[in-house]
Amino acid sequence: MLSQGNRQTDDVEQDATPTGVDMDVSVLLLGAGMTAALHPLFYVKLLIQVGHEPLPPTVGTTMFGRRVLYLPGFFSYAQHIVKVDGKRGLFRGLSPRIASIAIATVIRTKAKKQTELEPNKENKQTPLRKVMKETSHEMFIQCLSRIATHPFHVMSVRCMAQFVGREVKYSGILSSIGRIFQEEGVAGFYVGLMPHVLGEVLLLWCCNLLAHFINTYAVDDSLNQASAVRSYTKFVMGFTVSMLTYPFMLVADIMAVNNCGLTAGLPPHSPIFMSWLHCWNYLSRRGLLFRGSSFFSRRVPVTSICE
């Protein structure tokens, strides 16, 4: 009887294991699919971030009747890329991004499973202390994930930035790894890492803490939809704070291209920056810290008009 019971237990465990594996594969496939579908957006955004404006601005008017110059939006920019490189050109640099998403998903899945196995010690924790503990854990996973995936982010950014100067220096993942290691060593895989990590950490802490304080002190429990409001608070805070931390991501992407041998990262298209702080100050003085944050209603910067 005992052997039969053990056999039944083993059968249950064997049935449960493929289910977990199937879930992991489904998450990876979903992530890869979403990454591929949204890649043209990231591609256009990256080209705008590095300051590439291949199309002339058009004259428009604001809601107050003031005449201004508008830069091309996403659809006009995407049509230009298709005209130059064809429809496949919209997916330049996609393979490193998919590899990055896959690695990040595996790390987060492993970390989540490890957390579930740890004993629960939340007996006397206050809500704020619990939020801080969870955020600290999320921050550790986020930093670990960023360190592991940043080399692929650098490869993807450089593959896309080649559109500016029509280079073919970076193509596949393996050839890009060999090229970066040969020219820049291991440090070349981590250019722009610091602002990227700082931006993600600030986003995580601000989002979680603001959502906690709003749900605790601003949302009244007497409201019928209090639970629904609380469920959306973190999402809204994440969207709002992401706009404030956007300059960190912009600087990280520019530093990934800067002085790597591509036209997009060399004078006269771009200065050579000594550090990410140098890049930040340069963009700040010219009012460009939010360049690429919008795909529509893109006005020509005042500094550009003056120059």
Side-chain angles (χ1 to χ4, degrees), residues 152-189:
F152 296 95
H153 177 76
V154 172
M155 293 179 222
S156 178
V157 167
R158 292 185 179 183
C159 286
M160 292 186 281
Q162 290 181 136
F163 180 84
V164 178
R166 311 305 301 158
E167 296 99 344
V168 290
K169 186 176 181 180
Y170 302 95
S171 53
I173 294 178
L174 294 179
S175 62
S176 296
I177 291 174
R179 171 77 70 172
I180 294 173
F181 184 77
Q182 180 182 9
E183 295 183 355
E184 304 170 59
V186 177
F189 294 103

PDB file of all heavy atoms in Angstrom, residues 152-189:
ATOM      1  N   PHE A 152      23.027  42.724 -24.182  1.00  0.00           N
ATOM      2  CA  PHE A 152      22.131  42.547 -25.325  1.00  0.00           C
ATOM      3  C   PHE A 152      21.416  43.861 -25.670  1.00  0.00           C
ATOM      4  O   PHE A 152      21.112  44.119 -26.833  1.00  0.00           O
ATOM      5  CB  PHE A 152      21.110  41.452 -25.022  1.00  0.00           C
ATOM      6  CG  PHE A 152      21.728  40.106 -24.838  1.00  0.00           C
ATOM      7  CD1 PHE A 152      22.055  39.634 -23.564  1.00  0.00           C
ATOM      8  CD2 PHE A 152      22.011  39.288 -25.924  1.00  0.00           C
ATOM      9  CE1 PHE A 152      22.637  38.395 -23.382  1.00  0.00           C
ATOM     10  CE2 PHE A 152      22.591  38.046 -25.765  1.00  0.00           C
ATOM     11  CZ  PHE A 152      22.914  37.601 -24.490  1.00  0.00           C
ATOM     12  N   HIS A 153      21.165  44.670 -24.653  1.00  0.00           N
ATOM     13  CA  HIS A 153      20.574  45.987 -24.898  1.00  0.00           C
ATOM     14  C   HIS A 153      21.544  46.850 -25.707  1.00  0.00           C
ATOM     15  O   HIS A 153      21.121  47.538 -26.657  1.00  0.00           O
ATOM     16  CB  HIS A 153      20.250  46.667 -23.566  1.00  0.00           C
ATOM     17  CG  HIS A 153      19.701  48.050 -23.714  1.00  0.00           C
ATOM     18  ND1 HIS A 153      18.409  48.309 -24.106  1.00  0.00           N
ATOM     19  CD2 HIS A 153      20.280  49.271 -23.532  1.00  0.00           C
ATOM     20  CE1 HIS A 153      18.209  49.616 -24.156  1.00  0.00           C
ATOM     21  NE2 HIS A 153      19.334  50.212 -23.813  1.00  0.00           N
ATOM     22  N   VAL A 154      22.818  46.813 -25.356  1.00  0.00           N
ATOM     23  CA  VAL A 154      23.835  47.586 -26.088  1.00  0.00           C
ATOM     24  C   VAL A 154      23.898  47.121 -27.545  1.00  0.00           C
ATOM     25  O   VAL A 154      23.942  47.942 -28.477  1.00  0.00           O
ATOM     26  CB  VAL A 154      25.217  47.436 -25.416  1.00  0.00           C
ATOM     27  CG1 VAL A 154      26.304  48.072 -26.282  1.00  0.00           C
ATOM     28  CG2 VAL A 154      25.203  48.078 -24.032  1.00  0.00           C
ATOM     29  N   MET A 155      23.874  45.801 -27.760  1.00  0.00           N
ATOM     30  CA  MET A 155      23.912  45.268 -29.130  1.00  0.00           C
ATOM     31  C   MET A 155      22.703  45.728 -29.931  1.00  0.00           C
ATOM     32  O   MET A 155      22.822  46.159 -31.083  1.00  0.00           O
ATOM     33  CB  MET A 155      23.938  43.734 -29.092  1.00  0.00           C
ATOM     34  CG  MET A 155      25.177  43.123 -28.515  1.00  0.00           C
ATOM     35  SD  MET A 155      25.036  41.321 -28.527  1.00  0.00           S
ATOM     36  CE  MET A 155      25.707  40.942 -26.912  1.00  0.00           C
ATOM     37  N   SER A 156      21.526  45.648 -29.323  1.00  0.00           N
ATOM     38  CA  SER A 156      20.301  46.034 -30.015  1.00  0.00           C
ATOM     39  C   SER A 156      20.319  47.510 -30.388  1.00  0.00           C
ATOM     40  O   SER A 156      19.981  47.892 -31.516  1.00  0.00           O
ATOM     41  CB  SER A 156      19.089  45.725 -29.132  1.00  0.00           C
ATOM     42  OG  SER A 156      17.890  46.128 -29.758  1.00  0.00           O
ATOM     43  N   VAL A 157      20.715  48.357 -29.435  1.00  0.00           N
ATOM     44  CA  VAL A 157      20.760  49.799 -29.676  1.00  0.00           C
ATOM     45  C   VAL A 157      21.733  50.126 -30.811  1.00  0.00           C
ATOM     46  O   VAL A 157      21.428  50.947 -31.692  1.00  0.00           O
ATOM     47  CB  VAL A 157      21.163  50.539 -28.385  1.00  0.00           C
ATOM     48  CG1 VAL A 157      21.533  51.987 -28.689  1.00  0.00           C
ATOM     49  CG2 VAL A 157      20.040  50.491 -27.367  1.00  0.00           C
ATOM     50  N   ARG A 158      22.874  49.493 -30.832  1.00  0.00           N
ATOM     51  CA  ARG A 158      23.858  49.773 -31.874  1.00  0.00           C
ATOM     52  C   ARG A 158      23.403  49.251 -33.236  1.00  0.00           C
ATOM     53  O   ARG A 158      23.669  49.894 -34.266  1.00  0.00           O
ATOM     54  CB  ARG A 158      25.209  49.180 -31.488  1.00  0.00           C
ATOM     55  CG  ARG A 158      25.842  49.874 -30.289  1.00  0.00           C
ATOM     56  CD  ARG A 158      27.231  49.370 -29.979  1.00  0.00           C
ATOM     57  NE  ARG A 158      27.803  50.063 -28.841  1.00  0.00           N
ATOM     58  CZ  ARG A 158      29.028  49.872 -28.385  1.00  0.00           C
ATOM     59  NH1 ARG A 158      29.834  48.995 -28.983  1.00  0.00           N
ATOM     60  NH2 ARG A 158      29.469  50.554 -27.335  1.00  0.00           N
ATOM     61  N   CYS A 159      22.732  48.118 -33.240  1.00  0.00           N
ATOM     62  CA  CYS A 159      22.188  47.608 -34.511  1.00  0.00           C
ATOM     63  C   CYS A 159      21.191  48.595 -35.100  1.00  0.00           C
ATOM     64  O   CYS A 159      21.200  48.865 -36.307  1.00  0.00           O
ATOM     65  CB  CYS A 159      21.512  46.247 -34.289  1.00  0.00           C
ATOM     66  SG  CYS A 159      22.646  44.864 -34.031  1.00  0.00           S
ATOM     67  N   MET A 160      20.320  49.152 -34.253  1.00  0.00           N
ATOM     68  CA  MET A 160      19.318  50.101 -34.730  1.00  0.00           C
ATOM     69  C   MET A 160      19.950  51.425 -35.127  1.00  0.00           C
ATOM     70  O   MET A 160      19.541  52.048 -36.115  1.00  0.00           O
ATOM     71  CB  MET A 160      18.260  50.312 -33.643  1.00  0.00           C
ATOM     72  CG  MET A 160      17.390  49.093 -33.383  1.00  0.00           C
ATOM     73  SD  MET A 160      16.037  49.399 -32.219  1.00  0.00           S
ATOM     74  CE  MET A 160      16.915  49.337 -30.660  1.00  0.00           C
ATOM     75  N   ALA A 161      20.952  51.876 -34.378  1.00  0.00           N
ATOM     76  CA  ALA A 161      21.588  53.169 -34.641  1.00  0.00           C
ATOM     77  C   ALA A 161      22.365  53.163 -35.949  1.00  0.00           C
ATOM     78  O   ALA A 161      22.708  54.239 -36.476  1.00  0.00           O
ATOM     79  CB  ALA A 161      22.510  53.548 -33.485  1.00  0.00           C
ATOM     80  N   GLN A 162      22.654  51.985 -36.511  1.00  0.00           N
ATOM     81  CA  GLN A 162      23.365  51.907 -37.787  1.00  0.00           C
ATOM     82  C   GLN A 162      22.565  52.503 -38.933  1.00  0.00           C
ATOM     83  O   GLN A 162      23.124  52.829 -39.986  1.00  0.00           O
ATOM     84  CB  GLN A 162      23.714  50.452 -38.109  1.00  0.00           C
ATOM     85  CG  GLN A 162      24.787  49.866 -37.219  1.00  0.00           C
ATOM     86  CD  GLN A 162      25.126  48.435 -37.583  1.00  0.00           C
ATOM     87  OE1 GLN A 162      26.296  48.066 -37.632  1.00  0.00           O
ATOM     88  NE2 GLN A 162      24.117  47.628 -37.843  1.00  0.00           N
ATOM     89  N   PHE A 163      21.267  52.670 -38.721  1.00  0.00           N
ATOM     90  CA  PHE A 163      20.422  53.258 -39.763  1.00  0.00           C
ATOM     91  C   PHE A 163      20.879  54.674 -40.096  1.00  0.00           C
ATOM     92  O   PHE A 163      20.775  55.115 -41.248  1.00  0.00           O
ATOM     93  CB  PHE A 163      18.965  53.271 -39.295  1.00  0.00           C
ATOM     94  CG  PHE A 163      18.002  53.847 -40.299  1.00  0.00           C
ATOM     95  CD1 PHE A 163      17.480  53.051 -41.311  1.00  0.00           C
ATOM     96  CD2 PHE A 163      17.629  55.185 -40.250  1.00  0.00           C
ATOM     97  CE1 PHE A 163      16.604  53.574 -42.242  1.00  0.00           C
ATOM     98  CE2 PHE A 163      16.752  55.720 -41.170  1.00  0.00           C
ATOM     99  CZ  PHE A 163      16.236  54.915 -42.175  1.00  0.00           C
ATOM    100  N   VAL A 164      21.415  55.386 -39.109  1.00  0.00           N
ATOM    101  CA  VAL A 164      21.808  56.787 -39.300  1.00  0.00           C
ATOM    102  C   VAL A 164      22.914  56.901 -40.340  1.00  0.00           C
ATOM    103  O   VAL A 164      22.832  57.720 -41.269  1.00  0.00           O
ATOM    104  CB  VAL A 164      22.269  57.415 -37.963  1.00  0.00           C
ATOM    105  CG1 VAL A 164      22.727  58.856 -38.177  1.00  0.00           C
ATOM    106  CG2 VAL A 164      21.145  57.353 -36.938  1.00  0.00           C
ATOM    107  N   GLY A 165      23.962  56.093 -40.186  1.00  0.00           N
ATOM    108  CA  GLY A 165      25.101  56.171 -41.097  1.00  0.00           C
ATOM    109  C   GLY A 165      25.163  55.055 -42.121  1.00  0.00           C
ATOM    110  O   GLY A 165      26.163  54.948 -42.843  1.00  0.00           O
ATOM    111  N   ARG A 166      24.124  54.212 -42.168  1.00  0.00           N
ATOM    112  CA  ARG A 166      24.044  53.085 -43.110  1.00  0.00           C
ATOM    113  C   ARG A 166      25.224  52.129 -42.948  1.00  0.00           C
ATOM    114  O   ARG A 166      25.710  51.534 -43.919  1.00  0.00           O
ATOM    115  CB  ARG A 166      23.989  53.598 -44.567  1.00  0.00           C
ATOM    116  CG  ARG A 166      22.969  54.687 -44.836  1.00  0.00           C
ATOM    117  CD  ARG A 166      21.566  54.286 -44.431  1.00  0.00           C
ATOM    118  NE  ARG A 166      21.136  53.084 -45.143  1.00  0.00           N
ATOM    119  CZ  ARG A 166      20.167  52.261 -44.720  1.00  0.00           C
ATOM    120  NH1 ARG A 166      19.570  52.489 -43.564  1.00  0.00           N
ATOM    121  NH2 ARG A 166      19.819  51.214 -45.420  1.00  0.00           N
ATOM    122  N   GLU A 167      25.681  51.927 -41.700  1.00  0.00           N
ATOM    123  CA  GLU A 167      26.766  50.982 -41.465  1.00  0.00           C
ATOM    124  C   GLU A 167      26.233  49.548 -41.376  1.00  0.00           C
ATOM    125  O   GLU A 167      25.023  49.320 -41.220  1.00  0.00           O
ATOM    126  CB  GLU A 167      27.509  51.313 -40.161  1.00  0.00           C
ATOM    127  CG  GLU A 167      28.217  52.663 -40.160  1.00  0.00           C
ATOM    128  CD  GLU A 167      27.408  53.735 -39.444  1.00  0.00           C
ATOM    129  OE1 GLU A 167      26.201  53.517 -39.223  1.00  0.00           O
ATOM    130  OE2 GLU A 167      27.988  54.790 -39.129  1.00  0.00           O
ATOM    131  N   VAL A 168      27.154  48.605 -41.444  1.00  0.00           N
ATOM    132  CA  VAL A 168      26.826  47.180 -41.262  1.00  0.00           C
ATOM    133  C   VAL A 168      27.809  46.571 -40.260  1.00  0.00           C
ATOM    134  O   VAL A 168      28.182  45.405 -40.358  1.00  0.00           O
ATOM    135  CB  VAL A 168      26.865  46.417 -42.603  1.00  0.00           C
ATOM    136  CG1 VAL A 168      25.713  46.840 -43.501  1.00  0.00           C
ATOM    137  CG2 VAL A 168      28.202  46.638 -43.312  1.00  0.00           C
ATOM    138  N   LYS A 169      28.225  47.357 -39.311  1.00  0.00           N
ATOM    139  CA  LYS A 169      29.231  46.934 -38.344  1.00  0.00           C
ATOM    140  C   LYS A 169      28.680  45.893 -37.378  1.00  0.00           C
ATOM    141  O   LYS A 169      29.368  44.953 -36.993  1.00  0.00           O
ATOM    142  CB  LYS A 169      29.714  48.165 -37.568  1.00  0.00           C
ATOM    143  CG  LYS A 169      30.873  47.907 -36.629  1.00  0.00           C
ATOM    144  CD  LYS A 169      31.348  49.211 -35.988  1.00  0.00           C
ATOM    145  CE  LYS A 169      32.522  48.968 -35.052  1.00  0.00           C
ATOM    146  NZ  LYS A 169      32.998  50.222 -34.419  1.00  0.00           N
ATOM    147  N   TYR A 170      27.435  46.062 -36.961  1.00  0.00           N
ATOM    148  CA  TYR A 170      26.797  45.131 -36.021  1.00  0.00           C
ATOM    149  C   TYR A 170      25.620  44.459 -36.729  1.00  0.00           C
ATOM    150  O   TYR A 170      24.742  45.137 -37.270  1.00  0.00           O
ATOM    151  CB  TYR A 170      26.300  45.867 -34.782  1.00  0.00           C
ATOM    152  CG  TYR A 170      27.390  46.608 -34.039  1.00  0.00           C
ATOM    153  CD1 TYR A 170      27.628  47.963 -34.276  1.00  0.00           C
ATOM    154  CD2 TYR A 170      28.188  45.952 -33.112  1.00  0.00           C
ATOM    155  CE1 TYR A 170      28.630  48.638 -33.597  1.00  0.00           C
ATOM    156  CE2 TYR A 170      29.195  46.622 -32.432  1.00  0.00           C
ATOM    157  CZ  TYR A 170      29.411  47.968 -32.676  1.00  0.00           C
ATOM    158  OH  TYR A 170      30.407  48.633 -32.016  1.00  0.00           O
ATOM    159  N   SER A 171      25.604  43.125 -36.688  1.00  0.00           N
ATOM    160  CA  SER A 171      24.501  42.404 -37.341  1.00  0.00           C
ATOM    161  C   SER A 171      23.884  41.405 -36.372  1.00  0.00           C
ATOM    162  O   SER A 171      22.990  41.744 -35.608  1.00  0.00           O
ATOM    163  CB  SER A 171      25.005  41.718 -38.618  1.00  0.00           C
ATOM    164  OG  SER A 171      26.149  40.918 -38.340  1.00  0.00           O
ATOM    165  N   GLY A 172      24.391  40.175 -36.358  1.00  0.00           N
ATOM    166  CA  GLY A 172      23.861  39.175 -35.449  1.00  0.00           C
ATOM    167  C   GLY A 172      24.431  39.285 -34.051  1.00  0.00           C
ATOM    168  O   GLY A 172      25.338  40.087 -33.786  1.00  0.00           O
ATOM    169  N   ILE A 173      23.911  38.457 -33.154  1.00  0.00           N
ATOM    170  CA  ILE A 173      24.355  38.499 -31.760  1.00  0.00           C
ATOM    171  C   ILE A 173      25.812  38.075 -31.626  1.00  0.00           C
ATOM    172  O   ILE A 173      26.607  38.763 -30.974  1.00  0.00           O
ATOM    173  CB  ILE A 173      23.453  37.594 -30.896  1.00  0.00           C
ATOM    174  CG1 ILE A 173      22.027  38.152 -30.848  1.00  0.00           C
ATOM    175  CG2 ILE A 173      24.013  37.479 -29.477  1.00  0.00           C
ATOM    176  CD1 ILE A 173      21.060  37.299 -30.054  1.00  0.00           C
ATOM    177  N   LEU A 174      26.173  36.973 -32.250  1.00  0.00           N
ATOM    178  CA  LEU A 174      27.540  36.458 -32.102  1.00  0.00           C
ATOM    179  C   LEU A 174      28.566  37.407 -32.695  1.00  0.00           C
ATOM    180  O   LEU A 174      29.619  37.672 -32.090  1.00  0.00           O
ATOM    181  CB  LEU A 174      27.642  35.072 -32.751  1.00  0.00           C
ATOM    182  CG  LEU A 174      26.831  33.958 -32.079  1.00  0.00           C
ATOM    183  CD1 LEU A 174      27.003  32.645 -32.837  1.00  0.00           C
ATOM    184  CD2 LEU A 174      27.254  33.785 -30.623  1.00  0.00           C
ATOM    185  N   SER A 175      28.274  37.926 -33.888  1.00  0.00           N
ATOM    186  CA  SER A 175      29.223  38.850 -34.510  1.00  0.00           C
ATOM    187  C   SER A 175      29.337  40.151 -33.713  1.00  0.00           C
ATOM    188  O   SER A 175      30.423  40.736 -33.601  1.00  0.00           O
ATOM    189  CB  SER A 175      28.793  39.158 -35.947  1.00  0.00           C
ATOM    190  OG  SER A 175      27.531  39.802 -35.979  1.00  0.00           O
ATOM    191  N   SER A 176      28.223  40.595 -33.114  1.00  0.00           N
ATOM    192  CA  SER A 176      28.255  41.816 -32.301  1.00  0.00           C
ATOM    193  C   SER A 176      29.067  41.602 -31.036  1.00  0.00           C
ATOM    194  O   SER A 176      29.826  42.492 -30.615  1.00  0.00           O
ATOM    195  CB  SER A 176      26.826  42.240 -31.933  1.00  0.00           C
ATOM    196  OG  SER A 176      26.083  42.581 -33.081  1.00  0.00           O
ATOM    197  N   ILE A 177      28.922  40.428 -30.428  1.00  0.00           N
ATOM    198  CA  ILE A 177      29.709  40.111 -29.234  1.00  0.00           C
ATOM    199  C   ILE A 177      31.199  40.150 -29.557  1.00  0.00           C
ATOM    200  O   ILE A 177      32.005  40.738 -28.820  1.00  0.00           O
ATOM    201  CB  ILE A 177      29.315  38.731 -28.670  1.00  0.00           C
ATOM    202  CG1 ILE A 177      27.903  38.772 -28.084  1.00  0.00           C
ATOM    203  CG2 ILE A 177      30.314  38.276 -27.602  1.00  0.00           C
ATOM    204  CD1 ILE A 177      27.388  37.427 -27.628  1.00  0.00           C
ATOM    205  N   GLY A 178      31.585  39.519 -30.671  1.00  0.00           N
ATOM    206  CA  GLY A 178      32.988  39.509 -31.070  1.00  0.00           C
ATOM    207  C   GLY A 178      33.515  40.896 -31.367  1.00  0.00           C
ATOM    208  O   GLY A 178      34.626  41.254 -30.967  1.00  0.00           O
ATOM    209  N   ARG A 179      32.705  41.713 -32.045  1.00  0.00           N
ATOM    210  CA  ARG A 179      33.124  43.068 -32.399  1.00  0.00           C
ATOM    211  C   ARG A 179      33.324  43.942 -31.156  1.00  0.00           C
ATOM    212  O   ARG A 179      34.335  44.633 -31.024  1.00  0.00           O
ATOM    213  CB  ARG A 179      32.069  43.701 -33.308  1.00  0.00           C
ATOM    214  CG  ARG A 179      32.261  45.171 -33.594  1.00  0.00           C
ATOM    215  CD  ARG A 179      33.341  45.417 -34.621  1.00  0.00           C
ATOM    216  NE  ARG A 179      32.922  44.984 -35.932  1.00  0.00           N
ATOM    217  CZ  ARG A 179      33.606  45.220 -37.062  1.00  0.00           C
ATOM    218  NH1 ARG A 179      34.745  45.890 -36.999  1.00  0.00           N
ATOM    219  NH2 ARG A 179      33.179  44.779 -38.224  1.00  0.00           N
ATOM    220  N   ILE A 180      32.357  43.912 -30.235  1.00  0.00           N
ATOM    221  CA  ILE A 180      32.446  44.748 -29.036  1.00  0.00           C
ATOM    222  C   ILE A 180      33.614  44.312 -28.159  1.00  0.00           C
ATOM    223  O   ILE A 180      34.373  45.142 -27.648  1.00  0.00           O
ATOM    224  CB  ILE A 180      31.123  44.696 -28.243  1.00  0.00           C
ATOM    225  CG1 ILE A 180      29.992  45.329 -29.053  1.00  0.00           C
ATOM    226  CG2 ILE A 180      31.259  45.417 -26.900  1.00  0.00           C
ATOM    227  CD1 ILE A 180      28.622  45.182 -28.417  1.00  0.00           C
ATOM    228  N   PHE A 181      33.774  43.002 -27.982  1.00  0.00           N
ATOM    229  CA  PHE A 181      34.855  42.505 -27.134  1.00  0.00           C
ATOM    230  C   PHE A 181      36.220  42.840 -27.729  1.00  0.00           C
ATOM    231  O   PHE A 181      37.163  43.199 -27.003  1.00  0.00           O
ATOM    232  CB  PHE A 181      34.730  40.994 -26.950  1.00  0.00           C
ATOM    233  CG  PHE A 181      35.746  40.406 -26.008  1.00  0.00           C
ATOM    234  CD1 PHE A 181      35.597  40.543 -24.634  1.00  0.00           C
ATOM    235  CD2 PHE A 181      36.852  39.736 -26.495  1.00  0.00           C
ATOM    236  CE1 PHE A 181      36.542  40.016 -23.763  1.00  0.00           C
ATOM    237  CE2 PHE A 181      37.804  39.206 -25.632  1.00  0.00           C
ATOM    238  CZ  PHE A 181      37.643  39.343 -24.262  1.00  0.00           C
ATOM    239  N   GLN A 182      36.341  42.748 -29.042  1.00  0.00           N
ATOM    240  CA  GLN A 182      37.614  43.032 -29.701  1.00  0.00           C
ATOM    241  C   GLN A 182      37.986  44.501 -29.599  1.00  0.00           C
ATOM    242  O   GLN A 182      39.159  44.846 -29.388  1.00  0.00           O
ATOM    243  CB  GLN A 182      37.534  42.614 -31.171  1.00  0.00           C
ATOM    244  CG  GLN A 182      38.809  42.864 -31.960  1.00  0.00           C
ATOM    245  CD  GLN A 182      38.668  42.478 -33.425  1.00  0.00           C
ATOM    246  OE1 GLN A 182      37.577  42.184 -33.888  1.00  0.00           O
ATOM    247  NE2 GLN A 182      39.774  42.476 -34.140  1.00  0.00           N
ATOM    248  N   GLU A 183      37.013  45.406 -29.734  1.00  0.00           N
ATOM    249  CA  GLU A 183      37.297  46.839 -29.774  1.00  0.00           C
ATOM    250  C   GLU A 183      37.270  47.502 -28.395  1.00  0.00           C
ATOM    251  O   GLU A 183      38.016  48.456 -28.160  1.00  0.00           O
ATOM    252  CB  GLU A 183      36.294  47.539 -30.691  1.00  0.00           C
ATOM    253  CG  GLU A 183      36.410  47.121 -32.157  1.00  0.00           C
ATOM    254  CD  GLU A 183      35.446  47.876 -33.046  1.00  0.00           C
ATOM    255  OE1 GLU A 183      34.621  48.663 -32.505  1.00  0.00           O
ATOM    256  OE2 GLU A 183      35.506  47.691 -34.277  1.00  0.00           O
ATOM    257  N   GLU A 184      36.403  47.024 -27.496  1.00  0.00           N
ATOM    258  CA  GLU A 184      36.214  47.729 -26.222  1.00  0.00           C
ATOM    259  C   GLU A 184      36.411  46.861 -24.994  1.00  0.00           C
ATOM    260  O   GLU A 184      36.397  47.378 -23.871  1.00  0.00           O
ATOM    261  CB  GLU A 184      34.803  48.340 -26.181  1.00  0.00           C
ATOM    262  CG  GLU A 184      34.501  49.267 -27.356  1.00  0.00           C
ATOM    263  CD  GLU A 184      33.040  49.651 -27.414  1.00  0.00           C
ATOM    264  OE1 GLU A 184      32.531  50.236 -26.438  1.00  0.00           O
ATOM    265  OE2 GLU A 184      32.392  49.347 -28.444  1.00  0.00           O
ATOM    266  N   GLY A 185      36.563  45.569 -25.177  1.00  0.00           N
ATOM    267  CA  GLY A 185      36.695  44.679 -24.033  1.00  0.00           C
ATOM    268  C   GLY A 185      35.366  44.472 -23.324  1.00  0.00           C
ATOM    269  O   GLY A 185      34.295  44.833 -23.832  1.00  0.00           O
ATOM    270  N   VAL A 186      35.429  43.908 -22.133  1.00  0.00           N
ATOM    271  CA  VAL A 186      34.211  43.624 -21.373  1.00  0.00           C
ATOM    272  C   VAL A 186      33.458  44.912 -21.039  1.00  0.00           C
ATOM    273  O   VAL A 186      32.218  44.936 -21.018  1.00  0.00           O
ATOM    274  CB  VAL A 186      34.563  42.866 -20.069  1.00  0.00           C
ATOM    275  CG1 VAL A 186      33.313  42.631 -19.231  1.00  0.00           C
ATOM    276  CG2 VAL A 186      35.239  41.528 -20.399  1.00  0.00           C
ATOM    277  N   ALA A 187      34.170  45.998 -20.802  1.00  0.00           N
ATOM    278  CA  ALA A 187      33.520  47.266 -20.449  1.00  0.00           C
ATOM    279  C   ALA A 187      32.579  47.748 -21.542  1.00  0.00           C
ATOM    280  O   ALA A 187      31.601  48.458 -21.261  1.00  0.00           O
ATOM    281  CB  ALA A 187      34.583  48.329 -20.170  1.00  0.00           C
ATOM    282  N   GLY A 188      32.843  47.368 -22.777  1.00  0.00           N
ATOM    283  CA  GLY A 188      31.991  47.799 -23.877  1.00  0.00           C
ATOM    284  C   GLY A 188      30.571  47.265 -23.786  1.00  0.00           C
ATOM    285  O   GLY A 188      29.644  47.873 -24.339  1.00  0.00           O
ATOM    286  N   PHE A 189      30.391  46.147 -23.099  1.00  0.00           N
ATOM    287  CA  PHE A 189      29.055  45.569 -22.960  1.00  0.00           C
ATOM    288  C   PHE A 189      28.216  46.289 -21.902  1.00  0.00           C
ATOM    289  O   PHE A 189      27.017  46.053 -21.796  1.00  0.00           O
ATOM    290  CB  PHE A 189      29.152  44.085 -22.593  1.00  0.00           C
ATOM    291  CG  PHE A 189      29.752  43.230 -23.667  1.00  0.00           C
ATOM    292  CD1 PHE A 189      31.070  42.785 -23.573  1.00  0.00           C
ATOM    293  CD2 PHE A 189      29.013  42.873 -24.780  1.00  0.00           C
ATOM    294  CE1 PHE A 189      31.630  42.001 -24.562  1.00  0.00           C
ATOM    295  CE2 PHE A 189      29.569  42.082 -25.778  1.00  0.00           C
ATOM    296  CZ  PHE A 189      30.881  41.653 -25.675  1.00  0.00           C
TER     297      PHE A 189
END
